[in-house]
Amino acid sequence: MRLVPLVALLVAVTPAVAQVPDVARTPIDGAAITSDERTADAAAIRAVDAEQWEDALARALALVQQFGERPAYLARLATIYNRLHRPADEVAQWERFMTVAPRPSQACPALGKAYRGLGQYEEAISAFTRCLASDPESALLVYYLGLGYEWAGDFGQARQTYSRAATMAPPGYEPRVALARVNLHENALTAARDGAASVLAQVPTHVEAALVAGLAEQRAGRRVEARRYLELAARLSPEYFDVRLALGILEFSEDHVPAARGHFEAAFLADPGRRADVQP
């Protein structure tokens, strides 16, 4: 069985099953909206909420064809393509969204993540840079730009950008976990664990911090400590792909094959698009 390196498990934005962006679920309103459009819009939103993605796609495409490229419709299409694991189509819709939306920054982090899904890391950095340019005082958008650098393997720029984000929005828990992740990438395992653990001491439900601390301990060969952190992360977010995969690798390393298989299967159910991360 081929197992991805532990450091490659980091998704680094949100748990694998992200919520539908608000901009994709907001009903269209206004005096110029006809009752037919309002009815069609409501039906499309119901399909999204029910996670009936093929039906939602047909309805969203029909809305754009009949009523034009409203930002909410483009965001909805992008979200649907994300759920259907069609990153190229998702990218196209978010890029179009950025040209017509009054708040282009709403395309992030989804647009950057979609480029990452295509392995186009420089494009992800470009997307985050453009989002930040539309709202330069946003600490969250600075953080997203740090993600782009991290995904591209430019850890120096990632560290610098995360540090900037941390100073913009104290207490800056997400940038602090991200800095711990950078330490993990650079094999500074004690610093990675301590940074993540310091966030957990303040926010005991921070699943990313638990994951980073667990991965640091696992890579250091401290399996008991790794299990404690990773099982905490699994309790906090049972459907988080990376947590399940890390626990599966831990169980596999200890020859607990049935338990490992259970975690791998849970990971696959959480994010079928990442099945290639573990192959027989």
PDB file of all heavy atoms in Angstrom, residues 105-135:
ATOM      1  N   SER A 105     -13.634  39.412  -3.961  1.00  0.00           N
ATOM      2  CA  SER A 105     -12.928  38.623  -2.948  1.00  0.00           C
ATOM      3  C   SER A 105     -13.758  37.448  -2.444  1.00  0.00           C
ATOM      4  O   SER A 105     -13.207  36.519  -1.845  1.00  0.00           O
ATOM      5  CB  SER A 105     -12.534  39.505  -1.767  1.00  0.00           C
ATOM      6  OG  SER A 105     -13.676  40.053  -1.128  1.00  0.00           O
ATOM      7  N   GLN A 106     -15.076  37.462  -2.697  1.00  0.00           N
ATOM      8  CA  GLN A 106     -15.903  36.335  -2.276  1.00  0.00           C
ATOM      9  C   GLN A 106     -15.574  35.054  -3.026  1.00  0.00           C
ATOM     10  O   GLN A 106     -16.009  33.973  -2.639  1.00  0.00           O
ATOM     11  CB  GLN A 106     -17.382  36.677  -2.442  1.00  0.00           C
ATOM     12  CG  GLN A 106     -17.898  37.718  -1.468  1.00  0.00           C
ATOM     13  CD  GLN A 106     -19.364  38.032  -1.674  1.00  0.00           C
ATOM     14  OE1 GLN A 106     -19.804  38.360  -2.766  1.00  0.00           O
ATOM     15  NE2 GLN A 106     -20.140  37.912  -0.605  1.00  0.00           N
ATOM     16  N   ALA A 107     -14.793  35.152  -4.094  1.00  0.00           N
ATOM     17  CA  ALA A 107     -14.364  33.950  -4.816  1.00  0.00           C
ATOM     18  C   ALA A 107     -13.315  33.165  -4.046  1.00  0.00           C
ATOM     19  O   ALA A 107     -13.030  32.009  -4.378  1.00  0.00           O
ATOM     20  CB  ALA A 107     -13.820  34.326  -6.187  1.00  0.00           C
ATOM     21  N   CYS A 108     -12.728  33.775  -3.033  1.00  0.00           N
ATOM     22  CA  CYS A 108     -11.676  33.117  -2.245  1.00  0.00           C
ATOM     23  C   CYS A 108     -12.224  32.668  -0.894  1.00  0.00           C
ATOM     24  O   CYS A 108     -13.069  33.371  -0.319  1.00  0.00           O
ATOM     25  CB  CYS A 108     -10.496  34.064  -2.046  1.00  0.00           C
ATOM     26  SG  CYS A 108      -9.561  34.363  -3.571  1.00  0.00           S
ATOM     27  N   PRO A 109     -11.800  31.503  -0.409  1.00  0.00           N
ATOM     28  CA  PRO A 109     -10.678  30.692  -0.904  1.00  0.00           C
ATOM     29  C   PRO A 109     -11.025  29.668  -1.968  1.00  0.00           C
ATOM     30  O   PRO A 109     -10.155  28.946  -2.426  1.00  0.00           O
ATOM     31  CB  PRO A 109     -10.226  29.971   0.364  1.00  0.00           C
ATOM     32  CG  PRO A 109     -11.508  29.723   1.102  1.00  0.00           C
ATOM     33  CD  PRO A 109     -12.344  30.984   0.857  1.00  0.00           C
ATOM     34  N   ALA A 110     -12.313  29.590  -2.376  1.00  0.00           N
ATOM     35  CA  ALA A 110     -12.731  28.504  -3.257  1.00  0.00           C
ATOM     36  C   ALA A 110     -11.943  28.485  -4.564  1.00  0.00           C
ATOM     37  O   ALA A 110     -11.547  27.405  -5.043  1.00  0.00           O
ATOM     38  CB  ALA A 110     -14.226  28.612  -3.531  1.00  0.00           C
ATOM     39  N   LEU A 111     -11.717  29.656  -5.180  1.00  0.00           N
ATOM     40  CA  LEU A 111     -11.005  29.691  -6.451  1.00  0.00           C
ATOM     41  C   LEU A 111      -9.576  29.166  -6.291  1.00  0.00           C
ATOM     42  O   LEU A 111      -9.106  28.354  -7.096  1.00  0.00           O
ATOM     43  CB  LEU A 111     -10.992  31.112  -7.009  1.00  0.00           C
ATOM     44  CG  LEU A 111     -10.200  31.333  -8.301  1.00  0.00           C
ATOM     45  CD1 LEU A 111     -10.674  30.414  -9.408  1.00  0.00           C
ATOM     46  CD2 LEU A 111     -10.295  32.798  -8.729  1.00  0.00           C
ATOM     47  N   GLY A 112      -8.885  29.607  -5.258  1.00  0.00           N
ATOM     48  CA  GLY A 112      -7.528  29.114  -5.030  1.00  0.00           C
ATOM     49  C   GLY A 112      -7.496  27.620  -4.778  1.00  0.00           C
ATOM     50  O   GLY A 112      -6.609  26.905  -5.277  1.00  0.00           O
ATOM     51  N   LYS A 113      -8.459  27.127  -4.024  1.00  0.00           N
ATOM     52  CA  LYS A 113      -8.513  25.686  -3.751  1.00  0.00           C
ATOM     53  C   LYS A 113      -8.774  24.888  -5.023  1.00  0.00           C
ATOM     54  O   LYS A 113      -8.237  23.793  -5.209  1.00  0.00           O
ATOM     55  CB  LYS A 113      -9.595  25.397  -2.710  1.00  0.00           C
ATOM     56  CG  LYS A 113      -9.287  25.909  -1.316  1.00  0.00           C
ATOM     57  CD  LYS A 113     -10.397  25.568  -0.344  1.00  0.00           C
ATOM     58  CE  LYS A 113     -10.463  24.087  -0.064  1.00  0.00           C
ATOM     59  NZ  LYS A 113     -11.535  23.785   0.937  1.00  0.00           N
ATOM     60  N   ALA A 114      -9.616  25.445  -5.909  1.00  0.00           N
ATOM     61  CA  ALA A 114      -9.887  24.748  -7.165  1.00  0.00           C
ATOM     62  C   ALA A 114      -8.627  24.672  -8.025  1.00  0.00           C
ATOM     63  O   ALA A 114      -8.329  23.642  -8.634  1.00  0.00           O
ATOM     64  CB  ALA A 114     -11.012  25.457  -7.917  1.00  0.00           C
ATOM     65  N   TYR A 115      -7.871  25.774  -8.076  1.00  0.00           N
ATOM     66  CA  TYR A 115      -6.600  25.725  -8.809  1.00  0.00           C
ATOM     67  C   TYR A 115      -5.660  24.703  -8.167  1.00  0.00           C
ATOM     68  O   TYR A 115      -4.939  23.980  -8.869  1.00  0.00           O
ATOM     69  CB  TYR A 115      -5.943  27.104  -8.816  1.00  0.00           C
ATOM     70  CG  TYR A 115      -6.416  28.004  -9.933  1.00  0.00           C
ATOM     71  CD1 TYR A 115      -6.956  29.260  -9.675  1.00  0.00           C
ATOM     72  CD2 TYR A 115      -6.291  27.601 -11.265  1.00  0.00           C
ATOM     73  CE1 TYR A 115      -7.378  30.096 -10.714  1.00  0.00           C
ATOM     74  CE2 TYR A 115      -6.711  28.419 -12.303  1.00  0.00           C
ATOM     75  CZ  TYR A 115      -7.250  29.661 -12.022  1.00  0.00           C
ATOM     76  OH  TYR A 115      -7.670  30.480 -13.053  1.00  0.00           O
ATOM     77  N   ARG A 116      -5.663  24.637  -6.856  1.00  0.00           N
ATOM     78  CA  ARG A 116      -4.818  23.642  -6.187  1.00  0.00           C
ATOM     79  C   ARG A 116      -5.230  22.232  -6.602  1.00  0.00           C
ATOM     80  O   ARG A 116      -4.378  21.360  -6.814  1.00  0.00           O
ATOM     81  CB  ARG A 116      -4.926  23.786  -4.680  1.00  0.00           C
ATOM     82  CG  ARG A 116      -3.988  22.849  -3.932  1.00  0.00           C
ATOM     83  CD  ARG A 116      -4.389  22.681  -2.485  1.00  0.00           C
ATOM     84  NE  ARG A 116      -3.387  21.921  -1.753  1.00  0.00           N
ATOM     85  CZ  ARG A 116      -3.640  21.219  -0.662  1.00  0.00           C
ATOM     86  NH1 ARG A 116      -4.861  21.189  -0.180  1.00  0.00           N
ATOM     87  NH2 ARG A 116      -2.678  20.572  -0.048  1.00  0.00           N
ATOM     88  N   GLY A 117      -6.553  22.010  -6.726  1.00  0.00           N
ATOM     89  CA  GLY A 117      -7.033  20.702  -7.156  1.00  0.00           C
ATOM     90  C   GLY A 117      -6.546  20.324  -8.538  1.00  0.00           C
ATOM     91  O   GLY A 117      -6.443  19.132  -8.865  1.00  0.00           O
ATOM     92  N   LEU A 118      -6.245  21.330  -9.354  1.00  0.00           N
ATOM     93  CA  LEU A 118      -5.694  21.092 -10.690  1.00  0.00           C
ATOM     94  C   LEU A 118      -4.166  21.024 -10.685  1.00  0.00           C
ATOM     95  O   LEU A 118      -3.551  20.835 -11.739  1.00  0.00           O
ATOM     96  CB  LEU A 118      -6.149  22.205 -11.638  1.00  0.00           C
ATOM     97  CG  LEU A 118      -7.648  22.249 -11.944  1.00  0.00           C
ATOM     98  CD1 LEU A 118      -8.001  23.539 -12.668  1.00  0.00           C
ATOM     99  CD2 LEU A 118      -8.064  21.034 -12.767  1.00  0.00           C
ATOM    100  N   GLY A 119      -3.567  21.232  -9.504  1.00  0.00           N
ATOM    101  CA  GLY A 119      -2.118  21.250  -9.412  1.00  0.00           C
ATOM    102  C   GLY A 119      -1.503  22.531  -9.937  1.00  0.00           C
ATOM    103  O   GLY A 119      -0.296  22.584 -10.201  1.00  0.00           O
ATOM    104  N   GLN A 120      -2.296  23.592 -10.061  1.00  0.00           N
ATOM    105  CA  GLN A 120      -1.836  24.869 -10.619  1.00  0.00           C
ATOM    106  C   GLN A 120      -1.598  25.853  -9.466  1.00  0.00           C
ATOM    107  O   GLN A 120      -2.402  26.742  -9.193  1.00  0.00           O
ATOM    108  CB  GLN A 120      -2.865  25.395 -11.616  1.00  0.00           C
ATOM    109  CG  GLN A 120      -3.054  24.461 -12.810  1.00  0.00           C
ATOM    110  CD  GLN A 120      -4.153  24.911 -13.760  1.00  0.00           C
ATOM    111  OE1 GLN A 120      -4.759  25.969 -13.577  1.00  0.00           O
ATOM    112  NE2 GLN A 120      -4.430  24.103 -14.763  1.00  0.00           N
ATOM    113  N   TYR A 121      -0.458  25.700  -8.817  1.00  0.00           N
ATOM    114  CA  TYR A 121      -0.192  26.445  -7.594  1.00  0.00           C
ATOM    115  C   TYR A 121       0.082  27.922  -7.852  1.00  0.00           C
ATOM    116  O   TYR A 121      -0.318  28.780  -7.055  1.00  0.00           O
ATOM    117  CB  TYR A 121       0.971  25.798  -6.842  1.00  0.00           C
ATOM    118  CG  TYR A 121       0.695  24.357  -6.489  1.00  0.00           C
ATOM    119  CD1 TYR A 121       1.403  23.320  -7.099  1.00  0.00           C
ATOM    120  CD2 TYR A 121      -0.295  24.026  -5.575  1.00  0.00           C
ATOM    121  CE1 TYR A 121       1.125  21.993  -6.798  1.00  0.00           C
ATOM    122  CE2 TYR A 121      -0.577  22.706  -5.263  1.00  0.00           C
ATOM    123  CZ  TYR A 121       0.145  21.694  -5.887  1.00  0.00           C
ATOM    124  OH  TYR A 121      -0.142  20.379  -5.589  1.00  0.00           O
ATOM    125  N   GLU A 122       0.755  28.235  -8.933  1.00  0.00           N
ATOM    126  CA  GLU A 122       0.997  29.648  -9.250  1.00  0.00           C
ATOM    127  C   GLU A 122      -0.320  30.370  -9.539  1.00  0.00           C
ATOM    128  O   GLU A 122      -0.498  31.533  -9.175  1.00  0.00           O
ATOM    129  CB  GLU A 122       1.956  29.774 -10.430  1.00  0.00           C
ATOM    130  CG  GLU A 122       3.370  29.301 -10.142  1.00  0.00           C
ATOM    131  CD  GLU A 122       3.999  30.033  -8.964  1.00  0.00           C
ATOM    132  OE1 GLU A 122       3.790  31.260  -8.844  1.00  0.00           O
ATOM    133  OE2 GLU A 122       4.700  29.381  -8.175  1.00  0.00           O
ATOM    134  N   GLU A 123      -1.238  29.677 -10.181  1.00  0.00           N
ATOM    135  CA  GLU A 123      -2.549  30.265 -10.439  1.00  0.00           C
ATOM    136  C   GLU A 123      -3.318  30.469  -9.138  1.00  0.00           C
ATOM    137  O   GLU A 123      -4.066  31.449  -8.993  1.00  0.00           O
ATOM    138  CB  GLU A 123      -3.351  29.379 -11.394  1.00  0.00           C
ATOM    139  CG  GLU A 123      -2.878  29.424 -12.826  1.00  0.00           C
ATOM    140  CD  GLU A 123      -1.650  28.543 -13.077  1.00  0.00           C
ATOM    141  OE1 GLU A 123      -1.148  27.911 -12.111  1.00  0.00           O
ATOM    142  OE2 GLU A 123      -1.190  28.497 -14.233  1.00  0.00           O
ATOM    143  N   ALA A 124      -3.129  29.549  -8.189  1.00  0.00           N
ATOM    144  CA  ALA A 124      -3.765  29.722  -6.882  1.00  0.00           C
ATOM    145  C   ALA A 124      -3.230  30.976  -6.196  1.00  0.00           C
ATOM    146  O   ALA A 124      -3.995  31.768  -5.634  1.00  0.00           O
ATOM    147  CB  ALA A 124      -3.529  28.492  -6.007  1.00  0.00           C
ATOM    148  N   ILE A 125      -1.917  31.171  -6.251  1.00  0.00           N
ATOM    149  CA  ILE A 125      -1.321  32.377  -5.672  1.00  0.00           C
ATOM    150  C   ILE A 125      -1.876  33.622  -6.363  1.00  0.00           C
ATOM    151  O   ILE A 125      -2.214  34.619  -5.716  1.00  0.00           O
ATOM    152  CB  ILE A 125       0.212  32.328  -5.779  1.00  0.00           C
ATOM    153  CG1 ILE A 125       0.773  31.223  -4.876  1.00  0.00           C
ATOM    154  CG2 ILE A 125       0.834  33.674  -5.423  1.00  0.00           C
ATOM    155  CD1 ILE A 125       2.250  30.947  -5.081  1.00  0.00           C
ATOM    156  N   SER A 126      -1.984  33.568  -7.681  1.00  0.00           N
ATOM    157  CA  SER A 126      -2.539  34.694  -8.429  1.00  0.00           C
ATOM    158  C   SER A 126      -3.970  34.987  -7.999  1.00  0.00           C
ATOM    159  O   SER A 126      -4.350  36.157  -7.829  1.00  0.00           O
ATOM    160  CB  SER A 126      -2.496  34.404  -9.931  1.00  0.00           C
ATOM    161  OG  SER A 126      -3.185  35.402 -10.664  1.00  0.00           O
ATOM    162  N   ALA A 127      -4.770  33.936  -7.821  1.00  0.00           N
ATOM    163  CA  ALA A 127      -6.158  34.131  -7.408  1.00  0.00           C
ATOM    164  C   ALA A 127      -6.225  34.810  -6.046  1.00  0.00           C
ATOM    165  O   ALA A 127      -6.989  35.769  -5.845  1.00  0.00           O
ATOM    166  CB  ALA A 127      -6.881  32.792  -7.373  1.00  0.00           C
ATOM    167  N   PHE A 128      -5.431  34.324  -5.104  1.00  0.00           N
ATOM    168  CA  PHE A 128      -5.445  34.918  -3.766  1.00  0.00           C
ATOM    169  C   PHE A 128      -4.913  36.351  -3.792  1.00  0.00           C
ATOM    170  O   PHE A 128      -5.399  37.209  -3.056  1.00  0.00           O
ATOM    171  CB  PHE A 128      -4.625  34.064  -2.802  1.00  0.00           C
ATOM    172  CG  PHE A 128      -5.248  32.742  -2.472  1.00  0.00           C
ATOM    173  CD1 PHE A 128      -4.478  31.590  -2.388  1.00  0.00           C
ATOM    174  CD2 PHE A 128      -6.608  32.630  -2.229  1.00  0.00           C
ATOM    175  CE1 PHE A 128      -5.053  30.360  -2.068  1.00  0.00           C
ATOM    176  CE2 PHE A 128      -7.192  31.410  -1.921  1.00  0.00           C
ATOM    177  CZ  PHE A 128      -6.408  30.277  -1.844  1.00  0.00           C
ATOM    178  N   THR A 129      -3.921  36.612  -4.644  1.00  0.00           N
ATOM    179  CA  THR A 129      -3.385  37.971  -4.761  1.00  0.00           C
ATOM    180  C   THR A 129      -4.451  38.921  -5.295  1.00  0.00           C
ATOM    181  O   THR A 129      -4.601  40.055  -4.810  1.00  0.00           O
ATOM    182  CB  THR A 129      -2.160  37.976  -5.688  1.00  0.00           C
ATOM    183  OG1 THR A 129      -1.146  37.111  -5.137  1.00  0.00           O
ATOM    184  CG2 THR A 129      -1.588  39.376  -5.836  1.00  0.00           C
ATOM    185  N   ARG A 130      -5.205  38.462  -6.276  1.00  0.00           N
ATOM    186  CA  ARG A 130      -6.270  39.300  -6.833  1.00  0.00           C
ATOM    187  C   ARG A 130      -7.390  39.535  -5.832  1.00  0.00           C
ATOM    188  O   ARG A 130      -7.942  40.637  -5.750  1.00  0.00           O
ATOM    189  CB  ARG A 130      -6.803  38.668  -8.115  1.00  0.00           C
ATOM    190  CG  ARG A 130      -5.847  38.805  -9.306  1.00  0.00           C
ATOM    191  CD  ARG A 130      -6.404  38.160 -10.554  1.00  0.00           C
ATOM    192  NE  ARG A 130      -6.284  36.717 -10.530  1.00  0.00           N
ATOM    193  CZ  ARG A 130      -7.226  35.870 -10.922  1.00  0.00           C
ATOM    194  NH1 ARG A 130      -8.405  36.315 -11.315  1.00  0.00           N
ATOM    195  NH2 ARG A 130      -7.023  34.575 -10.900  1.00  0.00           N
ATOM    196  N   CYS A 131      -7.736  38.509  -5.083  1.00  0.00           N
ATOM    197  CA  CYS A 131      -8.760  38.689  -4.046  1.00  0.00           C
ATOM    198  C   CYS A 131      -8.292  39.706  -3.010  1.00  0.00           C
ATOM    199  O   CYS A 131      -9.050  40.588  -2.597  1.00  0.00           O
ATOM    200  CB  CYS A 131      -9.075  37.356  -3.379  1.00  0.00           C
ATOM    201  SG  CYS A 131     -10.111  36.244  -4.377  1.00  0.00           S
ATOM    202  N   LEU A 132      -7.038  39.602  -2.604  1.00  0.00           N
ATOM    203  CA  LEU A 132      -6.492  40.526  -1.615  1.00  0.00           C
ATOM    204  C   LEU A 132      -6.454  41.950  -2.158  1.00  0.00           C
ATOM    205  O   LEU A 132      -6.715  42.915  -1.421  1.00  0.00           O
ATOM    206  CB  LEU A 132      -5.102  40.076  -1.189  1.00  0.00           C
ATOM    207  CG  LEU A 132      -4.379  40.949  -0.166  1.00  0.00           C
ATOM    208  CD1 LEU A 132      -5.178  41.065   1.131  1.00  0.00           C
ATOM    209  CD2 LEU A 132      -2.982  40.384   0.120  1.00  0.00           C
ATOM    210  N   ALA A 133      -6.167  42.106  -3.444  1.00  0.00           N
ATOM    211  CA  ALA A 133      -6.115  43.444  -4.038  1.00  0.00           C
ATOM    212  C   ALA A 133      -7.464  44.142  -3.963  1.00  0.00           C
ATOM    213  O   ALA A 133      -7.532  45.370  -3.893  1.00  0.00           O
ATOM    214  CB  ALA A 133      -5.652  43.349  -5.486  1.00  0.00           C
ATOM    215  N   SER A 134      -8.545  43.370  -3.952  1.00  0.00           N
ATOM    216  CA  SER A 134      -9.874  43.972  -3.879  1.00  0.00           C
ATOM    217  C   SER A 134     -10.281  44.323  -2.452  1.00  0.00           C
ATOM    218  O   SER A 134     -11.259  45.043  -2.241  1.00  0.00           O
ATOM    219  CB  SER A 134     -10.916  43.021  -4.490  1.00  0.00           C
ATOM    220  OG  SER A 134     -11.155  41.914  -3.628  1.00  0.00           O
ATOM    221  N   ASP A 135      -9.520  43.808  -1.467  1.00  0.00           N
ATOM    222  CA  ASP A 135      -9.813  44.101  -0.051  1.00  0.00           C
ATOM    223  C   ASP A 135      -8.509  43.983   0.738  1.00  0.00           C
ATOM    224  O   ASP A 135      -8.314  43.047   1.518  1.00  0.00           O
ATOM    225  CB  ASP A 135     -10.868  43.124   0.471  1.00  0.00           C
ATOM    226  CG  ASP A 135     -11.347  43.457   1.877  1.00  0.00           C
ATOM    227  OD1 ASP A 135     -10.919  44.504   2.429  1.00  0.00           O
ATOM    228  OD2 ASP A 135     -12.160  42.685   2.431  1.00  0.00           O
TER     229      ASP A 135
END
